[in-house]
Amino acid sequence: MRILPVAPAGHLDARRHAGGMLLIAALLSPLAVQADAGPVQPRPITNVADLVAQLAAGPAVTLTPIQGLSGCGPKGCAVDLEQVTVARADENKPGVFQSATGGKIRLVEHRPADGRALPDMDWTPLRAFEVRQGQQRWGSCIEFTHEGLGKSGVHQRWTSVVLVPFKGKKPGATAHRFVGYWAGCESLRGSDKPNTVTLPLLEPTTKGAPQPLRLMQFDCSREACTGREDARVVHGDPTSETGQLTLDAAR
């Protein structure tokens, strides 16, 4: 019978200790590489899609495009968007929102932090969507460009978003207008609160603030919209040639 040599106990312990150290080193090596690489750099935001991708947080809502039907009659021109009608402004009267039954929908304007007036809206809708949470209709979201300078240059990066909450299956009596940098209905998300959607919006800051834009989160129920400032800092110049921004990582 062949007797195999047996290593002393101390030698076995040393081998086990060495093996354990090698395993720990192997597990830690990816972390070391990541640490050496430094902090993750913010991704640049150069258009609406970039912004939506970085703001996407919370439950999704379903957006279904609404085909607008334009027409003119004795009382002027209008665009029908399913259950909401946009009566266009002209030299004699301002534009208005109405329900399909003819009832006027009051428009509430949410001004930015510095209180500046919102730019004049071009009352021809750019796009419109049905907004649903699960199987339930929340309301409509309508996008507009702006008159005059709003149609050219850096001013084209600003959009009016109008939210029309529904009461049951019909539009309610109030709509809410927001103006944001690269704003769009695609930014809408659900909320932990029932019958509420959240609109992230980049708006101007007050005079003398370190950055020209701030990120706001507007929670809109069927009754009202309330805003809260997001802690993330928006870096970049919205008046630059590219308009490129970066957004601090969420905390």
Side-chain angles (χ1 to χ4, degrees):
M1 179 178 66
R2 184 181 177 187
I3 300 176
L4 297 176
V6 178
H11 184 63
L12 282 174
D13 291 340
R15 288 177 61 186
R16 289 174 183 151
H17 178 72
M21 293 301 293
L22 288 173
L23 178 60
I24 293 173
L27 292 173
L28 290 178
S29 58
L31 300 178
V33 171
Q34 184 177 0
D36 291 342
V40 177
Q41 296 300 316
R43 291 174 294 165
I45 301 171
T46 58
N47 53 45
V48 177
D50 290 343
L51 181 61
V52 170
Q54 294 199 37
L55 294 181
V61 297
T62 301
L63 299 178
T64 303
I66 298 173
Q67 183 66 45
L69 298 175
S70 300
C72 295
K75 295 184 179 181
C77 298
V79 180
D80 291 329
L81 299 168
E82 195 230 359
Q83 298 197 55
V84 177
T85 298
V86 180
R88 299 175 187 170
D90 59 30
E91 295 179 356
N92 301 317
K93 59 182 180 180
V96 295
F97 291 89
Q98 298 175 329
S99 67
T101 57
K104 186 175 179 179
I105 300 174
R106 182 173 67 96
L107 182 63
V108 176
E109 295 190 334
H110 296 265
R111 295 188 175 188
D114 61 3
R116 72 180 69 179
L118 300 184
D120 291 335
M121 198 161 64
D122 180 346
W123 285 81
T124 301
L126 185 64
R127 298 189 303 170
F129 301 88
E130 292 183 9
V131 181
R132 292 183 178 274
Q133 289 179 299
Q135 299 300 315
Q136 187 176 17
R137 176 73 178 270
W138 182 87
S140 293
C141 181
I142 311 170
E143 299 174 2
F144 297 86
T145 56
H146 303 124
E147 291 285 1
L149 291 175
K151 292 184 176 296
S152 62
V154 299
H155 300 283
Q156 286 181 303
R157 301 170 188 161
W158 295 88
T159 307
S160 278
V161 174
V162 175
L163 298 180
V164 186
F166 274 33
K167 294 285 188 180
K169 297 182 179 181
K170 302 292 182 182
T174 304
H176 300 270
R177 180 191 175 196
F178 306 88
V179 175
Y181 191 75
W182 282 325
C185 295
E186 293 102 330
S187 295
L188 277 174
R189 307 296 294 179
S191 171
D192 295 333
K193 303 173 184 177
N195 300 320
T196 301
V197 297
T198 299
L199 176 67
L201 196 78
L202 296 181
E203 67 173 28
T205 53
T206 55
K207 186 177 180 180
Q211 303 295 336
L213 297 175
R214 69 174 184 174
L215 175 59
M216 292 292 294
Q217 304 282 352
F218 286 95
D219 297 319
C220 293
S221 67
R222 300 188 188 281
E223 289 74 33
C225 291
T226 56
R228 49 191 169 86
E229 186 171 359
D230 196 296
R232 288 173 286 178
V233 178
V234 184
H235 303 274
D237 181 4
T239 64
S240 68
E241 182 177 349
T242 63
Q244 179 173 304
L245 307 173
T246 57
L247 182 64
D248 284 354
R251 299 171 183 173

